[in-house]
Amino acid sequence: MSHLTVFEHDELPAEQFEDVEQQRETSSLGMWMFLSTEVLFFGVLFTSFFVYRTRWPEAFAQGAKELKWWLGATNTAVLLGSSFCMAMAVHAASEADDRTIVRWLWFTVVLGTLFLLIKGTEYAIEWHEHLVPHFRWSPVAPGAGEPRDPQLPLFMTFYFVMTMFHALHMVIGLGVLLVVIVLARRRHFTREYHHPVEVVGLYWHFVDTVWVFLFPVLYLLRH
Amino acid sequence: MAGSANPFRLLPDSASGIAPRVDALTGFLLLATGLVTLIVLVLIVTFVLKYRRRSEDEVPPATVSRVSLEIAWSAIPLGIFMLMFYWGAALYVDLRRPARGAMEINVTAKQWMWKLQHPGGQREINELHVPVGRPVKLVMISQDVIHSFFVPAFRIKQDVLPGSYTMQWFTATRAGEYHLFCAEYCGTMHSRMIGRVVAMEPAAYQAWLAGVTPDEPPAVSGARLFASLGCAQCHGQNGPTLAGVYGSTVALSDGSSVLADENYVRESIVNAPAKIVAGFPPVMPSYRGQLTDEQVEQLVAYVKSLGAAASPSATRPSPDAAVPVTRPVGAQPPDHRPDFPPARNATDYDRPAGSQPHP
Amino acid sequence: MTTVPYNPDYGRPARPTYLSIAYRVSSWLLTRDHKRIAILYMIAITLFFTVGGVAATIMRLSLMTPDGRLTLPETYNRLFTIHGVIMVWFFLIPSIPAVLGNFLVPLMIGARDMAFPRLNLASWYLFVFGGCFTISALVLGGVDTGWTFYTPFSSSFSNTHVVLTVAGIFIAGFSSILTGLNIIITVNKLRAPGMTWGRLPLFIWSNYATAVILVLATPVLAMTLALLCIDRVFHVGIFDPAKGGDPLLFQHLFWFYSHPAVYIMILPAMGVVSELIPCFSRHRVFGYYFVAGSSIAIAIVGFLVWGHHMFVAGMSVYGGMVFSFLSFLVAVPSAIKVFNWTATLYRGSISLKTPMLYALGFIGLFVMGGVTGLFLAAIAVDVHVTDTYFVVAHFHYIMVGGSVMAYLGGIHFWWPKITGKLYPEWAGRIAAGIIFLGFNLTFFPQYVLGYLGMPRRYHAYPEEFHFLNVLSTAGASILAVGYVLPLFYLLWSLRYGPDAGPNPWKAMGLEWTTSSPPPPQNFERTPIIREEAYAYDRMTPQGSDNTPIIPLPAAAGGARESGRPGSRPESSEWSDQ
């Protein structure tokens, strides 16, 4: 009933839908639409990055070399692995195999957390090397280092802003995954109704895709 | 007068060569749009009166749609719009391309005043004296935020940016005093950042010029800087020659070419790696942060003054300096006289990184 | 010929409406019902409109004297900034989509609710939460950057509460995105049987196009504002030339959102007008597909014209020409709409009730404002008039003379449906007239002021602009009276107005087939649609297939069940009621 408030129990399908299938299609379409907004959200960052890369080519090449590409590459592999686990979880969900769902979701969460830990390590290294604009910066590389390009802070700003927004999306994704794990353990899903898992899967794959673009753009454009 | 006191005017003074042409286009737009607006309003009023509902259950005859009508009232407006676009674009090209022989005035905008300098070094604050009938090109930069140099009587306006030069030009056609407004919101006293442009007959202008004491021409200051910074080490020997470069088309190492205007010269000083001249290695260091804005301006003035002189140490080109062969239409030959603001205290221009915003 | 009022409950105990089903405060603040959420939005935006309107009033009073002595320059600058911020983001952008759209979209397509009711409520909370930030900034001293936040002034120079204000806009932006998302998905997935795309009311087409813009453009604003805050808080120089940043990049990013945003503000208004004109001329819209298609065209081309805000900002000559050309193109679909509405009136049966007065006022004022857009698109003229009162007049003609009038027209039109009450018609007409008069007196002089050269955002101005400013302020005081009047008589009607009945206007459209106010689930039974929208030519005193004006007397069809009808019905007829 439309007079139900947000916290009151809902039947399946929800009142505005004719059947569960319509509800499922609607949820998916909604998530795809939302992901399109995210494309534009990150698009601003990529656009601005390339504008400045054209303007300050030396600074941006130097910046790419300062980043630890092997950590970034490891993270890429970790995230791709987590997407694989997510896909397996979605497949298990279509068969309403709750224990398998939970297992694969846990793998996804573990790999996602590993990504964040590696990212944190990278940030710690950058902190140590005085590469954090405004907070800990040195115009000369620590030790008997070479002077840094005066526009290097701009590159590092973009690096931190882009990876932090990405990390924020990952943290939100991990939170939602935990909620879905709880739901799966409560036997909440059936063959017909498992679209929370699907929809979270879409979101997770998207977050992975953003990283697949972030990594080469930030780490690999070294000239 | 700076705008007559008549409160019932519909048009500002028309005091530049381009002003009547802008007004003509406006007049056409007014006529065309006014006509269509009138037709639509008359039709609506007519229909409302003629077809007003006479009884509560009246059901009028069905709407008869006509695709031909739709096409017509889409295509005809489109055609008229294209005419408006073309006229506006053609006029705009003339608005943006300075006439030959334009006198360059340097404008520096700052919260909340205008600083101007004439080619001979004469300075003005919030006022600009110009001769009637001579094209004047304004080369403008801001010391802080974005401003906009707006002279309604001339129908010209251009934003003034920090960090790069913008330009506009005009030819005053009538002597008089005209409003100068800042047209881009720039803070507390934005509405007080006003002044006047005084257009004078050429003789009166010369008399006025003679009465103002000029400061050291910036190109002279630039020549001193050029020597003290050791620029001649490269630019006198292995590096790209600077004589005659201003106003020419420079071929770059990535295959493109660029017009060597004020912004190119400035960028070459503060961000050399962005554009490397073809055939030369990318070894010029960037002077960003080591020179104040107006030191850069003085160097730019110096480079402009080199014209086609063979030796980069000359501070003034000979009056009959050869004009560079490759010059795009409308670009200016290097001026004979330097034209940038004189040296000031560094604190006027410097804002150290991380400083607090200004009150 | 007398008419029998339609009473579906004749002889039966009164059924609960969405208003009467529950009265507790929690039933409002935790509701899932799109109709209640629409009313929550209506209250919120009315409050914001008041704040923005008070700011405008003080501004106009200050502008009565050339030296602006009523306010300090600092105060004036904060006033015009908060006026712009509140009116754009906290009034105009949500007004029609979140109030009328939320209420009507499910009703018009025959659905029981929006696709995501909880997200709908979340969007309202985000809106109010964001508004709290911005109002806090106002209370703490305000912000003085202009609603456009140009850098480096906003990032490195202003001493005011930029981050707080911008945080509010950022949060409210998510509210916009969720509303747009909901509209798109609802229209895509929840249409009743027989409601094909070609049978949708034009209000739906307009709001759908608007929702696409909401969803795609708002994230750009969100990130741009986030970068602005980062620049301001951490002094990293993203937009500050002193540190290698580019102030023009901010402008490009800002206007890439803010130009489509103006179409967010006008498209729904055009959708409202597309509903009012057919009803009050009892005529099918002249070119349905052209009007529907023009909404989509405006949405698409509207993404390509942002540079026309930057003709004098330092853009190249060729860039300027491209944007000028595209800006002329985007004017064509709007012209198509205006001609179609006018043609709809031809040989119609026109009734000048209050909503129609607003609709006709819209067309007149929108045309006047829209043609001045052509002046601005003509790049050589724009050089003279940009950043002057000419632009201020142009956008106020469209946003106030257009959007606000359409919003008021829509509120009056659907007021009986929303509340079940009729407002006093004479009061509505008087208020509409006062608004129309006051509006023109306020803003027409500003065209002249602009061409004469008075720049915008000026606290004080040269003496020669005095007379026109006084005219403008006089108009503003009349306009203010006009805006206050509906508040009084609409509220009065809630208690003292006569019952409206399901279809007081004898309009076509699914929302008029259900009771006023509607039941919580919108329809007693899922409607089946068999004809296109605005089938006024098939109107009889008994109505038409889909919209019974007066239904046949209740046959022995038995008691109707409340609640969800279950799977899509195949054989149930609507008109056997």
Side-chain angles (χ1 to χ4, degrees):
Chain A
M1 294 290 122
S2 283
H3 62 281
L4 283 180
T5 62
V6 286
F7 297 126
E8 283 161 332
H9 177 67
D10 212 357
E11 65 241 359
L12 259 181
E15 185 223 3
Q16 65 270 25
F17 298 109
E18 296 295 331
D19 50 44
V20 185
E21 179 59 22
Q22 190 190 35
Q23 186 168 350
R24 198 196 124 260
E25 286 171 14
T26 305
S27 298
S28 282
L29 189 60
M31 179 50 80
W32 279 108
M33 271 266 87
F34 173 70
L35 295 179
S36 70
T37 75
E38 297 279 36
V39 169
L40 278 128
F41 192 64
F42 280 97
V44 171
L45 291 173
F46 282 99
T47 307
S48 308
F49 180 89
F50 279 108
V51 165
Y52 283 129
R53 184 167 186 271
T54 314
R55 192 127 175 240
W56 307 110
E58 262 207 4
F60 275 58
Q62 191 182 89
K65 292 195 196 105
E66 293 282 356
L67 299 181
K68 314 292 172 280
W69 67 268
W70 58 95
L71 288 177
T74 309
N75 256 347
T76 309
V78 164
L79 211 49
L80 287 172
S82 79
S83 264
F84 170 75
C85 299
M86 186 73 233
M88 296 303 291
V90 172
H91 177 73
S94 68
E95 304 188 337
D97 184 351
D98 285 319
R99 287 179 54 185
T100 316
I101 297 175
V102 170
R103 186 187 328 135
W104 282 112
L105 285 180
W106 273 121
F107 287 153
T108 313
V109 168
V110 163
L111 287 174
T113 312
L114 180 61
F115 175 95
L116 290 174
L117 288 173
I118 298 177
K119 198 90 211 77
T121 314
E122 269 191 85
Y123 287 161
I125 297 176
E126 274 127 21
W127 178 266
H128 183 69
E129 293 180 349
H130 295 258
L131 276 171
V132 185
H134 180 77
F135 292 101
R136 191 156 147 130
W137 184 265
S138 149
V140 168
E146 303 203 333
R148 289 173 171 158
D149 191 296
Q151 251 58 252
L152 187 62
L154 201 56
F155 173 90
M156 292 309 296
T157 299
F158 273 95
Y159 163 75
F160 281 112
V161 169
M162 291 167 89
T163 54
M164 280 185 178
F165 269 113
H166 176 261
L168 175 67
H169 282 78
M170 290 225 29
V171 167
I172 294 173
L174 287 175
V176 175
L177 277 172
L178 290 173
V179 167
V180 174
I181 289 176
V182 165
L183 289 177
R185 292 189 65 163
R186 284 196 199 158
R187 307 261 179 269
H188 191 73
F189 301 124
T190 65
R191 268 183 204 277
E192 291 84 30
Y193 172 75
H194 53 268
H195 45 261
V197 186
E198 279 182 18
V199 149
V200 160
L202 280 176
Y203 176 82
W204 193 258
H205 293 315
F206 174 78
V207 173
D208 189 8
T209 309
V210 170
W211 178 260
V212 166
F213 280 91
L214 267 184
F215 171 64
V217 163
L218 288 173
Y219 290 78
L220 301 184
L221 295 177
R222 311 171 117 224
H223 303 285
Chain B
M1 283 304 295
S4 89
N6 179 7
F8 299 110
R9 311 181 61 151
L10 293 178
L11 281 182
D13 288 323
S14 170
S16 76
I18 208 97
R21 298 173 63 189
V22 172
D23 287 347
L25 175 54
T26 305
F28 167 69
L29 287 166
L30 205 57
L31 208 68
T33 59
L35 207 65
V36 172
T37 307
L38 201 64
I39 292 175
V40 167
L41 293 182
V42 162
L43 278 177
I44 290 179
V45 170
T46 311
F47 293 164
V48 164
L49 291 175
K50 184 165 174 197
Y51 301 113
R52 64 186 178 282
R53 192 171 295 178
R54 289 180 172 77
S55 83
E56 194 46 43
D57 295 323
E58 179 181 60
V59 178
T63 326
V64 181
S65 298
R66 239 182 270 245
V67 176
S68 56
L69 209 52
E70 299 275 2
I71 309 261
W73 67 42
S74 308
I76 295 174
L78 182 62
I80 299 176
F81 294 166
M82 291 298 99
L83 174 61
M84 294 171 174
F85 159 71
Y86 181 76
W87 188 341
L91 188 52
Y92 182 62
V93 168
D94 291 342
L95 249 170
R96 301 288 301 152
R97 286 239 179 95
R100 286 177 159 267
M103 172 177 81
E104 286 195 13
I105 305 274
N106 211 142
V107 180
T108 304
K110 160 178 155 57
Q111 282 174 324
W112 290 281
M113 58 159 48
W114 297 101
K115 298 191 272 202
L116 303 100
Q117 191 178 34
H118 289 256
Q122 296 86 350
R123 284 188 286 131
E124 303 193 70
I125 302 261
N126 291 335
E127 272 191 8
L128 174 62
H129 287 77
V130 291
V132 166
R134 172 106 192 266
V136 173
K137 176 179 161 190
L138 304 175
V139 179
M140 313 183 288
I141 194 166
S142 164
Q143 284 180 232
D144 38 42
V145 297
I146 301 179
H147 301 272
S148 190
F149 194 98
F150 175 37
V151 185
F154 296 166
R155 312 291 188 273
I156 59 163
K157 181 189 292 113
Q158 180 69 40
D159 280 7
V160 181
L161 305 175
S164 65
Y165 299 111
T166 54
M167 286 145 249
Q168 62 179 336
W169 79 282
F170 61 88
T171 303
T173 52
R174 272 185 25 204
E177 291 180 17
Y178 309 106
H179 283 299
L180 158 63
F181 292 129
C182 174
E184 185 57 59
Y185 175 70
C186 53
T188 310
M189 301 308 267
H190 166 60
S191 52
R192 296 295 190 199
M193 192 166 159
I194 63 179
R196 52 186 201 154
V197 177
V198 182
M200 311 169 97
E201 297 302 334
Y205 174 71
Q206 291 302 329
W208 173 85
L209 261 187
V212 180
T213 322
D215 278 4
E216 175 184 68
V220 172
S221 320
R224 279 192 286 109
L225 266 176
F226 193 85
S228 66
L229 290 170
C231 310
Q233 279 175 0
C234 286
H235 285 289
Q237 294 151 44
N238 304 320
T241 179
L242 298 180
V245 85
Y246 176 72
S248 68
T249 304
V250 177
L252 300 177
S253 59
D254 62 0
S256 63
S257 57
V258 70
L259 167 66
D261 60 3
E262 284 92 347
N263 274 323
Y264 171 73
V265 177
R266 181 189 159 89
E267 190 183 34
S268 302
I269 299 171
V270 301
N271 181 25
K275 294 188 176 69
I276 307 291
V277 179
F280 292 94
V283 297
M284 174 166 172
S286 162
Y287 286 87
R288 176 171 218 94
Q290 300 175 43
L291 296 174
T292 65
D293 259 0
E294 41 68 53
Q295 283 175 319
V296 174
E297 281 176 356
Q298 289 160 5
L299 286 168
V300 173
Y302 171 62
V303 170
K304 282 169 85 163
S305 74
L306 289 180
S311 153
S313 62
T315 57
R316 254 185 322 156
S318 52
D320 53 354
V323 167
V325 175
T326 51
R327 193 152 39 89
V329 173
Q332 293 308 295
D335 265 341
H336 287 204
R337 283 169 301 176
D339 48 10
F340 279 94
R344 286 221 192 295
N345 289 333
T347 50
D348 269 10
Y349 295 81
D350 273 336
R351 264 193 324 108
S355 66
Q356 292 308 303
H358 291 213
Chain C
M1 190 194 254
T2 55
T3 62
V4 176
Y6 177 45
N7 185 353
D9 301 312
Y10 186 73
R12 298 197 190 88
R15 291 167 181 280
T17 69
Y18 79 97
L19 289 172
S20 65
I21 188 117
Y23 290 109
R24 295 167 57 178
V25 173
S26 61
S27 73
W28 278 90
L29 293 180
L30 295 176
T31 183
R32 277 189 235 172
D33 187 344
H34 65 101
K35 302 181 286 298
R36 288 192 169 202
I37 295 173
I39 294 186
L40 290 175
Y41 263 109
M42 183 159 65
I43 298 171
I45 69 167
T46 307
L47 291 171
F48 283 118
F49 181 78
T50 310
V51 176
V54 166
T57 307
I58 302 176
M59 280 161 63
R60 278 283 13 131
L61 287 174
S62 175
L63 285 169
M64 264 216 303
T65 55
D67 56 4
R69 71 184 85 133
L70 181 69
T71 55
L72 291 172
E74 295 89 320
T75 314
Y76 185 85
N77 296 340
R78 285 159 172 73
L79 284 172
F80 74 67
T81 303
I82 206 67
H83 171 75
V85 166
I86 290 190
M87 288 307 201
V88 168
W89 281 301
F90 294 95
F91 175 68
L92 278 168
I93 285 187
S95 61
I96 297 175
V99 176
L100 295 174
N102 258 329
F103 196 94
L104 294 167
V105 166
L107 281 167
M108 282 183 169
I109 64 175
R112 283 182 289 282
D113 204 320
M114 291 286 223
F116 304 118
R118 289 195 199 97
L119 281 187
N120 207 3
L121 184 70
S123 91
W124 182 77
Y125 275 104
L126 285 170
F127 178 70
V128 171
F129 188 52
C132 288
F133 277 81
T134 305
I135 298 290
S136 310
L138 174 65
V139 166
L140 287 172
V143 58
D144 73 345
T145 58
W147 79 278
T148 48
F149 297 107
Y150 273 18
T151 60
F153 180 74
S154 63
S155 58
S156 311
F157 286 82
S158 172
N159 269 351
T160 57
H161 298 281
V162 174
V163 173
L164 202 54
T165 309
V166 160
I169 301 168
F170 184 90
I171 296 170
F174 284 103
S175 157
S176 294
I177 293 175
L178 289 180
T179 300
L181 206 102
N182 235 333
I183 293 178
I184 294 175
I185 307 292
T186 305
V187 173
N188 267 43
K189 300 302 290 182
L190 294 186
R191 283 167 284 133
M195 178 61 87
T196 61
W197 287 93
R199 290 177 178 167
L200 286 170
L202 290 167
F203 180 81
I204 300 289
W205 277 102
S206 294
N207 278 272
Y208 190 90
T210 306
V212 170
I213 306 177
L214 277 167
V215 158
L216 294 180
T218 314
V220 174
L221 175 77
M223 184 55 86
T224 307
L225 293 180
L227 289 176
L228 174 63
C229 286
I230 291 171
D231 199 357
R232 190 169 163 83
V233 172
F234 300 119
H235 309 293
V236 283
I238 302 178
F239 299 120
D240 187 351
K243 300 201 181 88
D246 186 0
L248 242 59
L249 178 64
F250 177 84
Q251 291 183 33
H252 279 289
L253 292 173
F254 178 83
W255 286 114
F256 186 81
Y257 159 80
S258 294
H259 190 81
V262 315
Y263 295 113
I264 295 174
M265 296 186 261
I266 196 61
L267 271 174
M270 292 169 158
V272 170
V273 172
S274 295
E275 295 297 317
L276 301 181
I277 299 278
C279 171
F280 291 100
S281 54
R282 286 225 177 118
H283 242 188
R284 199 192 292 267
V285 173
F286 187 84
Y288 171 91
Y289 287 105
F290 282 87
V291 177
S294 67
S295 295
I296 304 294
I298 291 174
I300 295 175
V301 183
F303 271 99
L304 306 177
V305 299
W306 76 91
H308 66 224
H309 299 269
M310 299 168 59
F311 282 147
V312 297
M315 222 173 18
S316 75
V317 171
Y318 301 107
M321 287 202 210
V322 168
F323 281 115
S324 170
F325 178 79
L326 288 165
S327 303
F328 276 107
L329 281 189
V330 83
V332 175
S334 299
I336 292 176
K337 282 193 201 263
V338 170
F339 296 138
N340 271 292
W341 291 324
T342 310
T344 304
L345 296 173
Y346 178 66
R347 293 175 110 201
S349 163
I350 298 177
S351 150
L352 289 179
K353 295 270 188 335
T354 304
M356 185 59 158
L357 290 179
Y358 280 113
L360 294 175
F362 173 97
I363 298 179
L365 297 177
F366 173 74
V367 168
M368 290 172 69
V371 296
T372 53
L374 297 171
F375 286 67
L376 294 164
I379 189 168
V381 175
D382 184 83
V383 167
H384 176 57
V385 296
T386 192
D387 279 321
T388 67
Y389 263 82
F390 191 91
V391 179
V392 174
H394 161 76
F395 65 68
H396 280 94
Y397 259 83
I398 305 220
M399 295 206 280
V400 181
S403 297
V404 176
M405 293 202 64
Y407 173 72
L408 289 174
I411 289 290
H412 285 76
F413 184 57
W414 282 293
W415 187 258
K417 181 58 58 185
I418 296 173
T419 62
K421 298 288 188 182
L422 290 172
Y423 60 87
E425 189 59 37
W426 63 270
R429 284 168 163 162
I430 290 180
I434 293 177
I435 289 177
F436 188 81
L437 217 77
F439 174 85
N440 277 304
L441 187 57
T442 309
F443 291 106
F444 196 87
Q446 294 185 5
Y447 282 128
V448 182
L449 273 174
Y451 205 81
L452 283 173
M454 180 170 169
R456 56 188 291 200
R457 298 173 169 171
Y458 260 37
H459 161 252
Y461 52 84
E463 175 65 40
E464 71 224 53
F465 299 137
H466 192 184
F467 175 66
L468 290 167
N469 270 290
V470 171
L471 278 185
S472 183
T473 301
S477 48
I478 300 173
L479 191 58
V481 169
Y483 282 141
V484 167
L485 283 178
L487 205 60
F488 284 117
Y489 65 73
L490 288 177
L491 286 176
W492 177 93
S493 77
L494 286 180
R495 185 151 153 84
Y496 299 109
D499 283 343
N503 197 350
W505 309 115
K506 301 210 180 63
M508 296 275 164
L510 281 180
E511 73 267 29
W512 301 108
T513 66
T514 188
S515 62
S516 300
Q521 74 278 24
N522 292 344
F523 300 97
E524 295 296 336
R525 198 174 284 222
T526 304
I528 303 177
I529 291 80
R530 288 196 199 84
E531 61 190 359
E532 61 271 36
Y534 320 114
Y536 287 100
D537 49 318
R538 289 209 282 280
M539 179 195 252
T540 67
Q542 278 71 41
S544 71
D545 259 357
N546 268 8
T547 312
I549 304 294
I550 306 139
L552 302 169
R560 275 170 295 150
E561 298 300 315
S562 66
R564 188 150 43 93
S567 299
R568 301 161 202 245
E570 279 149 27
S571 59
S572 65
E573 295 272 6
W574 181 246
S575 53
D576 68 351
Q577 295 308 311

